[in-house]
């Protein structure tokens, strides 16, 4: 697990008991300092500028979301049209934050749990202002904590702290991402934005719940990844432990084992990415060995260019 003493400058702060307030304040300043002014309007680029209210129809352009096709106008004019939408006055954003045992791990700049909370801080900042509201459902595998959606920077700060203070689960506690997403989906909430933050390890059984979210909300999946999730180092004999089952196994990191592990990890991540595309989710990957804010900036800019008809 990463320690605060050897962290790169871009890494989020260590969320240590007794110094939580200081760490979260440092995180807030980092997010504000590097993201302020990045994108103007359009809810600062995390969701398209149009909201959910019907607006005018216009001719379809390559790259437009086909889910907004206006079939009545298309049939009448014999030319493809999409229905524009009018920006809502207020945006309600809900985040499902996975803090199960597999997130309590990190071998680079930080732990995946710290990176997940940093991602939530960025979401809060990028959707703030204008009467917008932020809420969350947080799971550590043992229980789900629901935090109602409210507006204001003070409340966003309190929500982030409450999320960060969710207890770490004991070893052997299995996470259930499908149940967490379902907890976000029901009861139905007003149309807005839904964000799912997880490492997406384990069984891929969350598609139905995610598809339900995507049908009603603009959906963003933030996948947090550690280098050891995708490859094993050549370190001889090591003892591997699954934090969500408590199972341990001593293995020798031979070249063959490393290749098989990398292939299995790559196949799993490819499936996760494919399933997220199928359910209509935007997909942002944050790594514990990468500048996470720079990765968010690239993601937001690419989406902004895509909505404006530019080349992503």
């Amino acid at each position: 697990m990463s320690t605060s003493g050897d962290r790169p400058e871009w890494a989020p702060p260590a969320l240590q008991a007794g110094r939580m307030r200081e760490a979260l304040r440092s995180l807030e300043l980092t997010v504000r300092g590097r993201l302020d002014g990045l994108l103007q309007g359009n809810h600062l680029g995390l969701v398209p500028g149009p909201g959910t209210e019907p607006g005018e129809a216009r001719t379809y352009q390559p790259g437009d979301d086909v889910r907004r096709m206006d079939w009545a106008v298309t049939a009448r004019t014999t030319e493809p049209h999409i229905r524009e939408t009018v920006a809502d006055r207020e945006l309600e954003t809900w985040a499902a934050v996975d803090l199960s045992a597999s997130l309590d791990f990190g071998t680079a700049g930080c732990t995946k749990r710290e990176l997940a909370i940093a991602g939530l801080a960025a979401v809060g900042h990028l959707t703030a202002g204008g009467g917008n509201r932020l809420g969350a459902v947080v799971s550590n595998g043992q229980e789900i904590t629901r935090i109602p959606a409210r507006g204001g920077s003070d409340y966003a700060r309190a929500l982030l702290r409450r999320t960060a203070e969710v207890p770490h689960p004991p070893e052997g506690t299995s996470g259930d991402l499908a149940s967490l997403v379902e907890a976000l989906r029901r009861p139905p909430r007003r149309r807005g934005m839904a964000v799912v933050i997880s490492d997406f390890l384990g069984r891929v059984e969350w598609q139905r719940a995610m598809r339900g979210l995507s049908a009603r909300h603009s959906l963003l999946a933030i996948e947090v990844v550690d280098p050891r999730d995708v490859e094993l180092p050549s370190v001889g004999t090591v003892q591997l432990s699954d934090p969500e089952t408590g199972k341990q196994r001593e293995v020798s990191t031979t070249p063959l084992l490393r290749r098989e592990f990398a292939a299995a990890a790559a196949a799993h991540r490819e499936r996760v990415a494919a399933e997220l595309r199928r359910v209509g989710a935007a997909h942002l990957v944050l790594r514990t060995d990468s500048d996470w804010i720079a990765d968010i900036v690239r993601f937001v800019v690419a989406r902004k260019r895509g909505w404006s008809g530019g080349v992503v």
Side-chain angles (χ1 to χ4, degrees):
M1 183 176 292
S2 176
T3 60
S4 58
D6 56 1
R7 289 178 181 240
E9 290 185 359
W10 45 260
L15 300 177
Q16 300 172 340
R19 303 190 64 184
M20 188 68 71
R21 186 182 298 274
E22 177 185 338
L24 291 176
R25 178 59 176 166
S26 174
L27 177 60
E28 178 187 6
L29 293 175
T30 298
V31 170
R32 287 173 53 189
R34 295 186 63 186
L35 289 182
D36 268 351
L38 171 63
L39 293 170
Q40 301 299 323
N42 293 352
H43 299 310
L44 294 176
L46 277 183
V47 293
T52 57
E53 297 300 321
E56 298 295 324
R58 67 166 173 81
T59 305
Y60 172 85
Q61 299 294 328
D64 285 337
D65 187 346
V66 296
R67 292 176 296 181
R68 294 197 287 128
M69 292 291 292
D70 189 317
W71 297 110
V73 176
T74 297
R76 187 169 64 248
T77 63
T78 70
E79 186 176 6
H81 278 69
I82 66 166
R83 176 68 60 177
E84 292 277 20
T85 48
V86 179
D88 298 325
R89 291 185 177 182
E90 298 177 346
L91 173 72
E92 186 165 286
T93 299
W94 279 88
V97 187
D98 175 11
L99 297 182
S100 57
S102 66
L103 279 288
D104 286 333
F105 176 77
T107 62
C110 60
T111 67
K112 289 189 289 182
R113 179 186 174 108
E114 290 164 346
L115 187 55
I117 292 169
L120 176 62
V123 167
H125 182 73
L126 290 171
T127 59
N132 296 345
R133 294 182 293 277
L134 177 66
V137 290
V138 188
S139 174
N140 65 358
Q142 281 191 315
E143 60 181 355
I144 291 179
T145 300
R146 298 176 182 270
I147 308 173
R150 295 177 185 167
S153 58
D154 288 343
Y155 183 76
R157 207 172 289 127
L159 180 146
L160 190 65
R161 179 166 185 174
R162 188 172 172 188
T163 301
E165 291 178 341
V166 166
H168 294 258
E171 186 171 341
T173 303
S174 297
D176 187 346
L177 183 58
S179 294
L180 173 60
V181 176
E182 190 64 24
L184 180 60
R185 191 167 78 93
R186 296 190 181 280
R189 309 176 193 280
R190 62 172 293 178
R191 293 183 182 273
M193 183 176 183
V195 182
V196 178
I197 306 175
S198 174
D199 58 7
F200 290 92
L201 295 180
R203 295 188 298 272
V204 182
E205 298 177 341
W206 35 258
Q207 299 95 317
R208 182 177 180 180
M210 293 279 276
R211 192 176 296 113
L213 276 180
S214 180
R216 186 171 179 83
H217 307 282
S218 177
L219 179 59
L220 169 64
I222 300 180
E223 180 184 10
V224 292
V225 178
D226 186 81
R228 296 292 82 84
D229 289 339
V230 295
E231 62 181 3
L232 290 175
S234 179
V235 291
T237 300
V238 296
Q239 183 166 282
L240 300 181
S241 175
D242 184 342
E244 297 202 359
T245 65
K247 293 181 179 179
Q248 296 183 342
R249 183 178 180 183
E250 188 175 275
V251 300
S252 178
T253 54
T254 63
L256 175 60
L257 176 65
R258 294 175 64 207
R259 287 195 299 270
E260 290 178 342
F261 181 91
H268 177 79
R269 294 198 64 215
E270 287 170 5
R271 185 184 177 196
V272 166
E275 295 296 340
L276 289 174
R277 286 194 298 271
R278 289 191 185 99
V279 302
H283 184 195
L284 167 62
V285 177
L286 301 180
R287 293 179 57 108
T288 62
D289 61 348
S290 178
D291 185 336
W292 62 284
I293 289 189
D295 291 337
I296 291 174
V297 168
R298 283 189 287 268
F299 173 82
V300 173
V301 169
R303 282 172 64 80
K304 184 80 169 181
R305 287 175 179 167
W307 295 324
S308 63
V311 178
V312 178

